[in-house]
Amino acid sequence: MKPLKILAFGAHPDDAELNVGGCAAMWAAQGHKVKFVSATNGDVGHAFKSGKELAEIRRKEVAAAAEVLGIVTEVMDVHDGELMPSLENRLTFLKYIREWEADIVIGHRPYDYHPDHRYTGVLMQDAAFMVTVKHALPEVPCLVHNPVFLYSYDHFQTPIPFNPTIAVPIDSVIDQKMDALWCMESQIESLWYKENFVEINPVPTEPEARALRKQEFFDQFTWKLGWGKQADQHRKLIQHTYGAEIATQTRYVESFEVCEYGRQPTQEELKDLFPTI
């Protein structure tokens, strides 16, 4: 089988890692090519640091995470909180998809609490048709076949709740995913500490205290961010795709919804696109 090429857009330097990191690790281990693109540079998402200093920290963190996952990553030069669904950004998304020759493109749904998340989803959708249009952005060759476009999981209900098409068990790589997220120390000490931008709790440097903090982080995130909840919510879907034994054993999943704007795969084709078991 020809190696797949997967492109995942996240609004900030951590979103793609949170939503797709497990599948990315499995794809990469099986010889497929994965790229994460952050649509903004994350330069305001910290209690005390900001601007160029924080943007550079966040860039280095996702680069370290990418090394753990075995993928490549890139950060767009857009300020955190200022992503707009402009023609310029649409063409940028179009360029990324074409240059990567993506078979799969993943991004946020356009229904989310954060405008950067919403507009990342809108831009991905807007590019979905244009990737095959020869005279749109003619300097970058168009794709002959439209990729499969997928939304990553969220818990928002209005106006339309997330409706997964596939739920992928990631138990075999959950430690690798958490090791990648552990690279994002600026988030761990600030936003991920108490979900605000006022308090910080620096990550210890002493080995024993650092190991304890990492375990606390693992315990908090595997449930709070929904990988465990999704396994419970989507167990019937896991069983339908992978069988009863795997469904029973699965503790953590990443789930995705096929966007109706791209190629529409069958359930069997989805299993080929997610060769992760």
Side-chain angles (χ1 to χ4, degrees):
M1 178 181 177
K2 179 183 176 182
L4 296 170
K5 304 195 77 172
I6 300 97
L7 181 65
F9 290 104
H12 307 100
D14 65 15
D15 284 317
E17 292 77 8
L18 289 167
N19 294 331
V20 195
C23 287
M26 290 189 284
W27 271 315
Q30 295 183 11
H32 303 296
K33 306 300 181 184
V34 184
K35 182 173 185 174
F36 286 176
V37 174
S38 173
T40 73
N41 62 15
D43 60 356
V44 302
H46 192 277
F48 299 119
K49 301 169 185 175
S50 64
K52 290 183 178 180
E53 176 195 13
L54 181 57
E56 181 60 15
I57 290 171
R58 301 289 298 277
R59 186 192 65 77
K60 289 180 178 178
E61 288 173 347
V62 292
E67 188 169 344
V68 171
L69 296 173
I71 67 170
V72 296
T73 191
E74 190 168 337
V75 179
M76 289 173 54
D77 188 23
V78 176
H79 292 300
D80 191 343
E82 298 184 15
L83 182 69
M84 296 298 293
S86 63
L87 175 60
E88 179 184 7
N89 285 332
R90 183 196 307 166
L91 294 176
T92 298
F93 272 49
L94 187 61
K95 184 172 182 287
Y96 276 121
I97 296 167
R98 286 181 174 179
E99 288 184 340
W100 193 244
E101 298 179 337
D103 299 294
I104 300 172
V105 182
I106 303 171
H108 302 280
R109 292 196 313 145
Y111 318 114
D112 204 304
Y113 73 106
H114 198 301
D116 289 341
H117 289 213
R118 293 197 298 272
Y119 294 148
T120 298
V122 169
L123 288 163
M124 182 186 78
Q125 289 180 169
D126 288 351
F129 176 78
M130 303 305 293
V131 293
T132 61
V133 179
K134 180 178 180 180
H135 298 295
L137 196 66
E139 59 269 29
V140 183
C142 70
L143 300 185
V144 176
H145 302 291
N146 209 329
V148 173
F149 288 81
L150 298 135
Y151 301 120
S152 54
Y153 170 84
D154 66 63
H155 63 270
F156 300 103
Q157 301 296 302
T158 304
I160 303 170
F162 177 78
N163 182 26
T165 316
I166 188 166
V168 183
I170 60 167
D171 298 61
S172 64
V173 292
I174 189 65
D175 289 333
Q176 187 177 357
K177 176 170 181 171
M178 292 306 297
D179 285 343
L181 295 177
W182 182 245
C183 295
M184 299 178 188
E185 194 164 307
S186 67
Q187 291 293 81
I188 294 167
E189 72 176 5
S190 182
L191 176 61
W192 294 350
Y193 168 49
K194 284 197 174 179
E195 299 185 358
N196 65 46
F197 294 108
V198 178
E199 305 168 85
I200 66 166
N201 182 13
V203 177
T205 57
E206 192 275 324
E208 187 173 339
R210 189 174 180 85
L212 179 61
R213 180 72 179 278
K214 184 178 182 181
Q215 185 60 50
E216 291 173 348
F217 170 67
F218 180 97
D219 293 341
Q220 172 193 14
F221 262 57
T222 50
W223 185 255
K224 186 181 82 170
L225 290 181
W227 310 315
K229 291 179 183 178
Q230 290 178 65
D232 290 338
Q233 291 169 351
H234 309 322
R235 206 161 296 279
K236 287 184 179 180
L237 180 58
I238 302 168
Q239 180 174 336
H240 176 71
T241 309
Y242 298 106
E245 183 177 357
I246 290 175
T248 301
Q249 296 172 352
T250 296
R251 296 178 61 197
Y252 308 111
V253 304
E254 290 173 347
S255 50
F256 305 92
E257 177 182 354
V258 172
C259 170
E260 62 183 339
Y261 298 162
R263 185 168 73 81
Q264 300 299 291
T266 65
Q267 198 69 27
E268 284 302 310
E269 287 177 310
L270 273 178
K271 284 181 67 175
D272 291 336
L273 292 173
F274 284 87
T276 50
I277 298 298

